[in-house]
């Protein structure tokens, strides 16, 4: 098989490739490319699972970055077990065809307990005193120690949160090269999240994101130079395009006003009680799954949502099936935002009663995706000092929480998840192999076959 590397440059679109990405621009001109018609929802976990299985969410089961686990009556996001993906993966097919084939997965999602040969994924240590220590999980286990001994501890707080920076993508790229030198896998999957950050914070504001584009361009250049010298097939691709938004929609607050939401009061703060709700929304960027514990409320909920400004469509029954989302994990209804809007998970009506996790970076407790975790209050110049003081208290052994995230959804200027109107905002696939692409637009499920062809066809 032909040695191949797939570099997932999150958020990359044709619109972004230009003067600020000189290397990617040259790679595009030299190679062949195709727009990828995004899967719905166009979010990380669904897109990656679709690329790696060649199946729709209705078949592989990854209906979003998170969903309502009905048997536990809990909303859970960013789970990590590969067993959640209910379809055979690309590397499993290739292993059956060639016993010498090996695969390395660097930070693509659902990377724990996978059947790849070499894997690395973020996995912090959660200590009993409340501290979160940066770390990774790897297979084989010693790979974790080899990487962090040479590259330093994985910069978790540069991977997600207000401090996000190019450091995390650079670490992942360096880890991919180190893994390749150690094990020489046939197929390597690399995840570079850097563009995701400021594109959500600032939208398509090139005055701000020019620096981010240049930074990821350099990381991609270094990776391509390395793998080019290894005579590899090289694929650059992305999962979705981010577009400008200005209208956050609080679906759970709307359902609450209609008496459909279950709320628990604890210590004067409010928590969403999904199991006790007649209906509730699991917000995931521009898509929201609406789950009904009381199915008699279907028509009422559909009518409510269709009247909300910024809700473009509400999918039910056959419409969900047509969208390739019919799966037990899918909501009873699926709301899709219009091009200017996105969905928050907010359910409280008084910020004083917001749960403690709302003001923290806490991707596992929140019953929905929260991009505001990448921001602090721009009107509070003392935030850096507050962070230093909180860290100092932690080191002294005092209990404290990093409650620095504002409850200001209007700060978010970019989002994704729906199918954009303009193909310039579609994800893109670029390859140095001019024999594997015959069309300039492909479906998300066809990426599987295109990647497979790279393993069998020399450039």
């Amino acid at each position: 098989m032909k040695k191949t590397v797939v570099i997932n440059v999150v958020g990359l679109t044709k619109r972004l490739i230009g003067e600020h990405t000189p290397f990617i621009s040259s790679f595009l001109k030299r190679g062949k490319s195709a727009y990828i018609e995004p899967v719905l929802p166009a979010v990380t976990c669904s897109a990656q699972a679709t690329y790696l299985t060649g199946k729709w969410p209705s078949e592989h089961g990854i209906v979003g970055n998170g969903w309502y686990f009905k048997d536990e009556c809990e909303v859970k996001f960013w789970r990590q077990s590969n067993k959640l993906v209910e379809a055979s993966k690309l590397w499993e097919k290739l292993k059956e065809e060639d016993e010498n084939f090996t695969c390395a997965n660097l930070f693509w999602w659902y990377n724990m307990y996978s059947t790849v040969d070499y894997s690395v994924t973020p996995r912090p240590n959660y200590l009993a005193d409340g501290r979160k220590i940066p770390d990774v999980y790897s297979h084989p286990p010693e790979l974790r120690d080899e990487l962090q001994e040479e590259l330093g501890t994985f910069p978790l707080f540069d991977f997600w949160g207000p401090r996000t920076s190019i450091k995390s993508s650079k670490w992942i790229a360096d880890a991919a090269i180190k893994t390749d030198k150690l094990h020489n896998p046939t197929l390597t999957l690399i995840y570079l999240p850097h563009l995701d950050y400021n594109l959500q914070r600032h939208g398509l504001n090139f005055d701000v994101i020019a620096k981010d584009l240049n930074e990821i361009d350099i990381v991609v250049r270094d990776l391509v130079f390395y793998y080019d010298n290894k005579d590899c097939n090289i694929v650059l691709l992305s999962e979705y395009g981010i577009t400008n938004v200005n209208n956050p929609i609080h679906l759970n607050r709307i359902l609450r006003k209609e008496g459909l939401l279950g709320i628990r009061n604890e210590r004067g703060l409010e928590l969403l009680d999904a199991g006790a709700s007649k209906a509730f929304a699991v917000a995931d960027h521009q898509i929201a799954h609406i789950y009904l514990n009381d199915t008699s409320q279907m028509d009422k909920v559909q009518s409510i949502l269709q009247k909300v400004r910024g809700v473009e469509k509400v999918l039910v029954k056959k419409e969900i099936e047509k969208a390739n989302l019919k799966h037990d994990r899918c909501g009873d209804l699926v709301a899709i935002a219009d091009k200017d809007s996105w969905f928050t998970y907010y359910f409280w009506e008084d910020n004083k009663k917001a749960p403690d996790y709302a003001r923290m970076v806490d991707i596992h407790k929140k019953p929905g995706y929260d991009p505001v975790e990448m921001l602090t209050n721009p009107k509070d110049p003392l935030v850096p000092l507050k962070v230093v003081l909180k860290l100092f208290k932690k080191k002294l052994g005092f209990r404290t929480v990093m409650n620095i995230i504002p409850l200001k959804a209007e700060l978010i200027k970019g989002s994704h998840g729906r199918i954009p109107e303009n193909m310039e905002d579609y994800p893109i696939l670029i390859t140095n192999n001019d024999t594997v692409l015959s069309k300039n637009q492909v479906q998300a499920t066809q990426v599987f076959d295109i990647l497979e062809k790279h393993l069998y066809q020399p450039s």
Side-chain angles (χ1 to χ4, degrees), residues 148-180:
Q148 293 194 132
E149 182 177 345
E150 179 171 322
L151 306 176
T153 302
F154 172 64
L156 179 73
F157 302 121
D158 293 273
F159 182 73
W160 185 251
R163 220 180 73 182
T164 51
S165 75
I166 193 63
K167 290 180 181 178
S168 60
S169 291
K170 180 69 167 63
W171 193 98
I172 295 168
D174 291 342
I177 292 172
K178 173 70 173 175
T179 302
D180 190 76

Side-chain angles (χ1 to χ4, degrees), residues 16-284:
L16 297 177
I17 300 174
E19 62 176 311
H20 306 301
T21 57
F23 179 79
I24 295 175
S25 297
S26 66
F27 190 80
L28 175 63
K29 289 175 183 176
R30 294 195 312 269
K32 293 196 73 173
S33 67
Y35 297 102
I36 303 173
E37 184 179 339
V39 65
L40 186 76
V43 298
T44 294
C45 294
S46 300
Q48 290 185 10
T50 299
Y51 293 170
L52 295 177
T53 65
K55 306 294 183 183
W56 297 110
S58 56
E59 299 167 280
H60 60 61
I62 307 303
V63 298
N65 292 321
W67 55 84
Y68 180 50
F69 284 65
K70 296 175 183 177
D71 53 348
E72 299 182 57
C73 293
E74 291 184 10
V75 176
K76 295 183 179 182
F77 267 64
W78 305 113
R79 313 317 291 170
Q80 292 186 291
S81 171
N82 195 256
K83 298 181 187 302
L84 290 169
V85 185
E86 298 175 340
S88 179
K89 293 85 184 177
L90 174 63
W91 59 81
E92 292 172 341
K93 181 179 181 183
L94 295 170
K95 280 175 179 286
E96 289 178 358
E97 295 169 358
D98 184 349
E99 63 180 11
N100 295 314
F101 169 87
T102 56
C103 181
N105 185 339
L106 281 298
F107 281 68
W108 285 49
W109 214 252
Y110 300 116
N111 201 10
M112 290 180 66
Y113 317 117
S114 165
T115 50
V116 296
D117 301 275
Y118 314 102
S119 65
V120 188
T121 197
R123 188 68 168 180
N125 291 315
Y126 294 95
L127 304 189
D129 62 5
R131 285 181 295 158
K132 180 165 63 176
I133 306 298
D135 206 345
V136 296
Y137 179 95
S138 77
H139 176 80
E142 58 269 20
L143 180 58
R144 160 184 174 258
D145 300 322
E146 291 172 310
L147 292 176
Q148 293 194 132
E149 182 177 345
E150 179 171 322
L151 306 176
T153 302
F154 172 64
L156 179 73
F157 302 121
D158 293 273
F159 182 73
W160 185 251
R163 220 180 73 182
T164 51
S165 75
I166 193 63
K167 290 180 181 178
S168 60
S169 291
K170 180 69 167 63
W171 193 98
I172 295 168
D174 291 342
I177 292 172
K178 173 70 173 175
T179 302
D180 190 76
K181 290 177 178 178
L182 288 170
H183 300 291
N184 191 29
T186 320
L187 173 65
T188 297
L189 306 168
I190 305 172
Y191 178 72
L192 302 179
H194 183 60
L195 290 182
D196 211 27
Y197 309 142
N198 270 348
L199 283 172
Q200 290 191 67
R201 290 181 181 119
H202 305 289
L204 298 173
N205 181 346
F206 282 86
D207 290 339
V208 177
I209 66 172
K211 178 174 180 287
D212 302 279
L213 290 166
N214 185 250
E215 287 174 334
I216 201 66
D217 190 65
I218 293 170
V219 172
V220 170
R221 180 199 66 191
D222 293 346
L223 280 170
V224 171
F225 282 176
Y226 172 81
Y227 285 101
D228 225 6
N229 287 330
K230 293 283 187 176
D231 190 31
C232 291
N233 277 332
I234 300 171
V235 180
L236 303 186
L237 57 69
S238 55
E239 305 158 358
Y240 48 75
I242 293 175
T243 54
N244 293 332
V245 292
N246 55 37
N247 179 41
I249 302 172
H250 314 296
L251 290 180
N252 279 319
R253 288 177 177 172
I254 293 167
L255 295 174
R256 179 175 181 168
K257 285 189 172 87
E258 298 291 334
L260 297 167
L261 210 66
I263 297 292
R264 290 206 323 270
N265 288 283
E266 296 187 0
R267 298 176 296 106
L269 304 179
E270 296 180 341
L271 294 173
L272 172 65
D273 193 343
S277 296
K278 293 180 180 178
F280 63 96
V282 175
D284 197 354

Side-chain angles (χ1 to χ4, degrees), residues 11-15 35 38 204 240-243 420-427:
L12 186 67
T13 63
K14 192 76 172 291
R15 188 185 300 282
Y35 297 102
L204 298 173
Y240 48 75
I242 293 175
T243 54
E421 281 80 6
N422 195 318
M423 285 177 58
E424 296 296 290
D425 299 310
Y426 278 19

